[in-house]
Amino acid sequence: MAHDRIKDIWGPTTGFAAGEPWPIRVDTHLRDGLREEDVEHWVQSACVLCSNGCGVDIAVRDGQMVGVRGREDDRVSRGRLGPKGLFGWQGQLRDRITTPLVRRNGTLVEASWDEAMGLVVERSRALLDTKGPLSHGFYTSGQLMLEEYYTLAVIGKAGIGTPHMDGNTRLCTATAAAALKESFGTDGQPGSYTDLDVCDAVFHYGHNVAETQTVLWARMLDRLAGPNPPLHVCVDPRRTKVAEASDVHLAVRPGTNQALMNGLLRELIHRDWVDHAWVEEHTVGYDELARTVEPYTPQQVAEICRVEARDVERAAEVFGTSDRVVSTVLQGFYQSHQATAASVQVNNLHLLRGMLGRPGAAILQMNGQPTAQNNRETGVDGDLSGFRNWNNESHVQELADLWDVDPVVIPHWSPPTHAMQIFRYAEQGSIGFLWIAGTNPAVSMPDLGRIRRILGGDQVFVVVNEAFRNETTELADVVLPSALWGEKTGTFTNVDRTVHLADKAVDPPGQARSDLDIWVDYARRMGFTDRSGRPIPRWDSPEDAFDGWRECSRGRPCDYSGMSYAKLRGSGGIQWPCTDDAPEGTERIYTDHVFNTQDDYCENYGHDLLTGAAVDATEHKAMRYDGRARLKAAPWTPPPEFPSDEYPLGLGTGRTVFHFHTRTKTMRAAELDEAAPDAWVEIAPEDAEPLGIVEGDLVRVESARGALEAKARVSDIRPGAVFVPFHYGDVDRGGRPTRAANELTITAWDPVSKQPAFKGGAVRVTKVADGDGPSPAPDNTASARTSRTSRKG
Amino acid sequence: MHLATYLGLLDEGEKTLAASFRQVAEGHAEEADVYHLCNRLAAECDRHREHLAPAVARYGEQKVEEPEDLHAEGLTTTRTGGVGLLRDLHDLYLLVCYLDIAWTVVGQAAKAARDKELIGIVDHCEGETSTQLKWLKTRMKEAAPQALIVAS
Ligand code: SF4
């Protein structure tokens, strides 16, 4: 029964041996006791509640969504769905915004589309006339469709000409992109999920896959249940399910990932687990890397990271002696100090052993959100569309030709503006028009007090496309009701480059419209045109937008030119690049070990990992990378905030398996809400005891920036560390004290990827009141109650 | 030997630069990246002085009268707003340039004097100094359009 999937999160295992196909297991959930024969039609789609993108059919009856069923031919899931995929869609069936809202005398009131768009266009036009394109900023999401992103990218870059475009992908996946670009010259996932089916070892770097991508973990569990399971190594301060299943668990102190990585690299070099001939032929930078990592002996690493030296040695040995290793990386690295540097070292480990581009030898720099990949590809996260290089005039010219505009219109004088900087400009008022779509920065950004001040101030006019009232809509000047998944057609791409078509199954509620329709309407009202007088964008339907994107991507690493809606419909997902030469898509890239670092092809010239200082074209040329990977090194530096006497504990924030982001959908699905109804604070028994804290007590967590209150979960987290889930905001709280994790977080970001360092601030915890039972934290995940007792106890 | 003079200049210059980085960090604490990076680069300047200390000690004894007063002006205050940030980074840039070429000059002398220890020190510190320069340039290029065109 699907309902058991809250308890049995990953479902029954279907063990298989290395090299066998992953067995099919079809998961289904229908509402109200409906049976499959009650369903009128099934509409092809894929789940948008994490970056895995499991293929799913939506069940429709009487014009309503009534259920979901995994697609057995899907290459990502082979029919499986996790708890969020099974239950989460129900959350979008109620509480929707159904008409536009505009602010009058301080309150939001219902308005017609004409009125609302009239206000938007009036303000936009006035600012463009007086202050120019740099007065406009766009902040989008990792949950829209490819067609919507690309349409906005063209409007922003060719119509308006603003460099201020980013997505909340900056908070979750910017480092994945940055690390891939530094090492290989462009974005683009080297590995494929099928590599997990044949590998000998899996390394999880700050990646709690058991909760972030449950179906991917099911795939790994099935290998563990088979005859020749791979070894697992886990780097995570929490005792996650992944850590429990691992052969080596390195619970490093927050802020020290780079020291650990340098230590692993040093072990590889000292024990000569290096393929020197391969390194010579396919990389540049070995000597400097070897020099940089030299001081990081296992003892030194043990000292810095507070782990056992022999565990460091053992982890290096697993890496050094396995034939086929898959490495996965996520927020434990991406949202921590030295994010890009540490993630690049994962690439370096594989490069030293020549371990990529063949089955089972793979890097998966993960994404968090379902469509983050498309945000990056199309260039609404700030990059130039199609992984092009803003610093390369011929790349800019290609886009100018494609869009039929003067190249000077396309902003390319410096890297596009990252999210944190966009909000800073909005704070200062130089961005006077900010359009937010499909994301809730008033809960998800660092240092919330400041974000609320910015959005609520009258120095900036805020437009929000949203499906639900939330903390952000309440600060907006205009709110536009948007259609969600299943209510519109579009494509999106998962972590391993698999493209799915998600067809429209039902009509959106009330007057809600797709973001694509909203932006095309805006562009038409603004009258954006190209040099030949044609409208920008030249399309108004998703399929035409997709065809526009196919042309834009042609010849670039993320080549979609060989794909079409017709081909995607009925398929189990197609991996880009998909071209005339590879019409079925491409499972694995870099199989010839030629990387995208050629001067005229790369997406950027790289950066200094410590400061983010950009390498320029001349310096890049002088290095003669020319298809060889860049081995980039950096020493460990202490994080900006280490625990102190005043704030003695290190803060980590993250997610639980039952929710997505700020819970806009998942809290409205009864099964998921009941499974994790409220926030909690995880603390180790060794730290809880001297503070007089026991399971379920109400505690207060304070940092130099703010405070929150929630119940304590005494768990198996490493001593000295505290964990707070980031899903919970204030919208359903009334006047009670806040529980939003980002009240505490530091405003600091990685110098290369500009991803905020949510993990690793310093906090103190105090007891507020006795509890009346256990905290609401789930018991079958990383937040499980501790099995340890404190040393003193 | 005038090398001692130049070593003194470097030592003094790194001290001034460290103070200036800290000044800009505090003055522009609202720009989170400027705040954190300037503080880190200030610590880097402190380390340059530590690296240099043995050489300063060794050559210090042979110090002759300075031909003229060689020293760099640090930043004493910071400005505000977008243009203010740009101008303060510009001042830092000039200061780092001054040190960058000073390291080059000392490196040349170290080679001629066959002073391997000093050559090693210069190699390390000169590289970091030129990265400081590149970072300032990267950051200023990003800040300039908004500060000069849109900000009021
Ligand atoms: S693993 Fe992700 S994509 Fe798959 S069903 Fe779960 S939430 Fe949806």
Side-chain angles (χ1 to χ4, degrees):
Chain A
M1 259 319 283
H3 272 78
D4 298 341
R5 296 295 303 284
I6 294 294
K7 285 205 179 66
D8 180 14
I9 295 169
W10 303 280
T13 49
T14 48
F16 71 115
E20 284 175 5
W22 186 27
I24 289 169
R25 183 193 89 196
V26 176
D27 295 330
T28 308
H29 176 57
L30 294 174
R31 296 192 86 181
D32 312 327
L34 290 178
R35 290 158 307 161
E36 296 213 359
E37 43 288 19
D38 302 323
V39 174
E40 284 162 13
H41 34 254
W42 296 94
V43 180
Q44 179 174 2
S45 188
C47 176
V48 285
L49 289 167
C50 85
S51 60
N52 221 44
C54 300
V56 64
D57 283 325
I58 302 175
V60 180
R61 184 184 161 92
D62 299 332
Q64 298 290 325
M65 283 188 206
V66 293
V68 288
R69 182 177 67 194
R71 288 177 61 87
E72 64 172 52
D73 66 345
D74 193 76
R75 65 171 302 280
V76 168
S77 59
R78 311 275 286 160
R80 287 163 192 75
L81 292 171
K84 273 184 299 190
L86 283 168
F87 306 120
W89 57 274
Q90 303 167 109
Q92 68 183 71
L93 306 183
R94 59 188 177 99
D95 302 340
R96 297 284 297 274
I97 307 175
T98 52
T99 69
L101 305 169
V102 301
R103 190 167 295 280
R104 286 225 181 82
N105 305 321
T107 44
L108 287 174
V109 296
E110 293 189 356
S112 69
W113 271 103
D114 239 8
E115 266 176 282
M117 288 307 284
L119 279 176
V120 171
V121 165
E122 183 189 306
R123 181 60 76 101
S124 175
R125 177 51 62 210
L127 270 172
L128 282 183
D129 290 347
T130 54
K131 289 191 151 185
L134 275 61
S135 61
H136 279 49
F138 292 85
Y139 183 59
T140 58
S141 123
Q143 297 165 57
L144 308 181
M145 299 287 160
L146 181 153
E147 293 77 359
E148 296 174 319
Y149 294 131
Y150 184 54
T151 299
L152 181 62
V154 174
I155 292 171
K157 291 177 201 296
I160 300 171
T162 176
H164 306 321
M165 305 181 90
D166 203 357
N168 63 6
T169 47
R170 184 66 66 183
L171 316 183
C172 93
T173 166
T175 301
L180 291 169
K181 286 185 236 178
E182 289 301 320
S183 298
F184 306 120
T186 66
D187 196 349
Q189 192 70 270
S192 176
Y193 278 177
T194 47
D195 289 318
L196 289 161
D197 304 346
V198 293
C199 66
D200 309 312
V202 188
F203 275 64
H204 307 264
Y205 296 101
H207 181 202
N208 181 10
V209 59
E211 296 193 54
T212 53
Q213 290 92 6
T214 56
V215 171
L216 188 61
W217 181 236
R219 192 171 197 142
M220 298 184 195
L221 284 175
D222 286 349
R223 276 289 316 272
L224 286 172
N228 41 14
L231 297 168
H232 282 253
V233 175
C234 171
V235 181
D236 199 313
R238 295 167 80 207
R239 185 89 183 142
T240 60
K241 292 290 165 194
V242 178
E244 274 175 29
S246 288
D247 302 272
V248 185
H249 176 204
L250 292 156
V252 297
R253 178 159 71 131
T256 64
N257 292 335
Q258 179 68 8
L260 173 72
M261 296 312 294
N262 282 345
L264 293 176
L265 285 159
R266 184 187 180 278
E267 278 293 289
L268 239 53
I269 291 170
H270 274 248
R271 304 185 65 179
D272 203 25
W273 289 315
V274 174
D275 185 340
H276 290 283
W278 197 95
V279 167
E280 177 75 15
E281 200 175 339
H282 299 292
T283 70
V284 176
Y286 176 79
D287 291 342
E288 175 159 0
L289 178 68
R291 236 192 341 268
T292 307
V293 303
E294 185 52 30
Y296 297 86
T297 61
Q299 293 69 27
Q300 178 69 14
V301 171
E303 177 76 16
I304 297 172
C305 304
R306 306 273 158 82
V307 293
E308 300 288 334
R310 63 168 184 276
D311 287 341
V312 177
E313 289 164 354
R314 174 76 186 119
E317 189 179 330
V318 173
F319 196 92
T321 57
S322 300
D323 253 353
R324 293 165 297 187
V325 178
V326 175
S327 290
T328 75
V329 195
L330 197 64
Q331 312 306 8
F333 272 43
Y334 298 165
Q335 295 182 340
S336 292
H337 178 55
Q338 295 193 286
T340 305
S343 305
V344 160
Q345 304 319 312
V346 176
N347 299 343
N348 288 347
L349 281 167
H350 282 260
L351 288 166
L352 288 192
R353 298 211 55 217
M355 199 146 42
L356 71 175
R358 61 183 164 88
I363 299 165
L364 293 169
Q365 296 277 358
M366 298 296 293
N367 304 338
Q369 298 183 77
T371 74
Q373 186 62 44
N374 305 110
N375 195 310
R376 273 147 59 178
E377 292 162 2
T378 57
V380 264
D381 66 341
D383 289 324
L384 270 195
S385 312
F387 295 164
R388 285 179 176 83
N389 185 350
W390 59 267
N391 214 354
N392 179 333
E393 289 294 338
S394 65
H395 284 191
V396 177
Q397 187 64 50
E398 283 169 20
L399 290 179
D401 293 343
L402 183 70
W403 297 335
D404 192 18
V405 294
D406 190 322
V408 296
V409 173
I410 302 171
H412 64 282
W413 49 79
S414 69
T417 318
H418 60 95
M420 307 296 292
Q421 190 68 52
I422 289 177
F423 277 82
R424 176 69 181 138
Y425 289 151
E427 182 173 29
Q428 294 174 315
S430 69
I431 287 181
F433 179 92
L434 179 62
W435 197 326
I436 298 169
T439 182
N440 187 5
V443 175
S444 55
M445 296 282 270
D447 195 358
L448 290 181
R450 178 168 159 256
I451 298 297
R452 280 190 297 264
R453 267 196 319 278
I454 296 171
L455 295 177
D458 45 15
Q459 82 292 358
V460 58
F461 185 79
V462 179
V463 184
V464 176
N465 296 0
E466 247 308 339
F468 304 96
R469 302 281 289 250
N470 63 21
E471 292 80 352
T472 301
T473 57
E474 298 321 288
L475 301 167
D477 294 287
V478 174
V479 179
L480 303 171
S482 48
L484 291 174
W485 174 84
E487 300 162 358
K488 58 185 178 184
T489 292
T491 55
F492 61 93
T493 308
N494 84 336
V495 172
D496 84 337
R497 294 174 280 106
T498 302
V499 183
H500 281 107
L501 177 69
D503 258 324
K504 178 174 167 173
V506 298
D507 285 327
Q511 300 175 38
R513 301 162 68 182
S514 72
D515 297 271
L516 184 114
D517 287 346
I518 294 172
W519 282 320
V520 170
D521 183 21
Y522 164 73
R524 300 290 181 259
R525 287 172 193 258
M526 293 294 288
F528 297 131
T529 51
D530 64 18
R531 277 190 295 207
S532 316
R534 289 172 296 184
I536 294 175
R538 255 171 260 161
W539 53 80
D540 44 30
S541 76
E543 187 158 4
D544 290 346
F546 185 79
D547 289 341
W549 168 246
R550 286 166 60 196
E551 277 321 303
C552 182
S553 69
R554 189 184 292 277
R556 295 300 298 163
C558 50
D559 195 326
Y560 286 63
S561 59
M563 269 182 233
S564 65
Y565 271 25
K567 207 160 163 178
L568 286 164
R569 210 164 262 137
S571 85
I574 300 174
Q575 285 173 291
W576 64 246
C578 174
T579 62
D580 295 342
D581 295 334
E584 302 311 316
T586 308
E587 185 169 35
R588 212 166 273 109
I589 59 175
Y590 303 136
T591 49
D592 55 0
H593 303 149
V594 175
F595 302 98
N596 297 337
T597 54
Q598 301 83 356
D599 297 317
D600 57 358
Y601 192 68
C602 64
E603 190 174 359
N604 69 29
Y605 301 124
H607 299 84
D608 172 57
L609 297 181
L610 281 183
T611 58
V615 175
D616 67 28
T618 320
E619 291 167 315
H620 193 264
K621 231 184 210 113
M623 292 297 289
R624 296 180 182 277
Y625 289 110
D626 200 24
R628 290 179 294 171
R630 309 173 185 143
L631 288 171
K632 306 206 87 170
W636 172 72
T637 60
E641 201 174 83
F642 244 154
S644 59
D645 287 348
E646 200 182 356
Y647 299 107
L649 299 165
L651 173 72
T653 67
R655 61 183 89 208
T656 174
V657 68
F658 300 114
H659 287 302
F660 186 65
H661 272 223
T662 63
R663 298 181 307 137
T664 37
K665 281 186 207 170
T666 49
M667 74 178 170
R668 293 180 171 87
E671 295 88 347
L672 300 174
D673 188 48
E674 280 162 25
D678 203 346
W680 67 89
V681 175
E682 269 169 56
I683 184 167
E686 294 85 344
D687 296 320
E689 201 217 74
L691 296 165
I693 293 169
V694 298
E695 171 65 32
D697 283 352
L698 184 65
V699 297
R700 184 173 172 82
V701 188
E702 286 166 281
S703 75
R705 289 153 296 279
L708 64 79
E709 288 183 10
K711 288 189 171 174
R713 162 52 48 95
V714 181
S715 79
D716 277 345
I717 195 166
R718 65 158 294 142
V722 168
F723 175 90
V724 182
F726 62 49
H727 306 287
Y728 301 88
D730 285 330
V731 89
D732 49 351
R733 291 280 285 174
R736 283 177 295 159
T738 184
R739 54 182 177 169
N742 285 324
E743 303 289 351
L744 305 172
T745 44
I746 186 168
T747 302
W749 54 81
D750 182 71
V752 182
S753 70
K754 320 288 190 210
Q755 181 160 350
F758 288 113
K759 299 178 199 278
V763 295
R764 66 168 166 252
V765 177
T766 47
K767 178 168 165 169
V768 176
D770 284 334
D772 50 5
S775 72
D779 256 319
N780 53 348
T781 64
S783 57
R785 266 170 270 190
T786 183
S787 51
R788 299 196 301 257
T789 47
S790 91
R791 268 178 289 248
K792 284 183 208 148
Chain B
M1 175 132 88
H2 288 295
L3 176 54
T5 313
Y6 247 87
L7 286 171
L9 176 150
L10 260 182
D11 185 51
E12 198 54 37
E14 289 285 350
K15 186 172 158 193
T16 305
L17 180 59
S20 300
F21 269 130
R22 292 199 169 96
Q23 178 92 39
V24 172
E26 287 311 318
H28 297 281
E30 293 281 286
E31 313 291 337
D33 62 329
V34 171
Y35 174 78
H36 293 298
L37 263 171
C38 284
N39 272 322
R40 219 179 57 225
L41 296 178
E44 195 167 277
C45 297
D46 295 342
R47 280 201 305 280
H48 289 180
R49 295 187 67 210
E50 287 164 21
H51 288 311
L52 206 54
V56 172
R58 277 197 284 120
Y59 288 96
E61 284 157 20
Q62 308 161 28
K63 190 170 180 179
V64 295
E65 235 3 70
E66 291 185 19
E68 59 185 286
D69 192 21
L70 275 171
H71 76 280
E73 292 290 345
L75 277 73
T76 48
T77 57
T78 48
R79 306 164 176 97
T80 56
V83 187
L85 173 69
L86 193 62
R87 299 233 357 235
D88 287 339
L89 294 176
H90 196 156
D91 284 349
L92 278 176
Y93 186 85
L94 295 176
L95 201 53
V96 181
C97 273
Y98 172 88
L99 278 161
D100 189 51
I101 193 68
W103 280 111
T104 306
V105 167
V106 168
Q108 291 299 98
K111 280 177 199 151
R114 300 177 191 169
D115 184 336
K116 287 193 184 158
E117 189 198 10
L118 186 54
I119 292 172
I121 296 168
V122 172
D123 269 357
H124 178 79
C125 298
E126 195 182 14
E128 290 188 341
T129 302
S130 77
T131 302
Q132 292 178 357
L133 217 47
K134 281 184 207 150
W135 172 68
L136 285 163
K137 191 170 183 178
T138 301
R139 189 64 179 80
M140 287 166 71
K141 280 173 83 170
E142 286 167 21
Q146 200 73 8
L148 301 184
I149 310 244
V150 210
S152 42

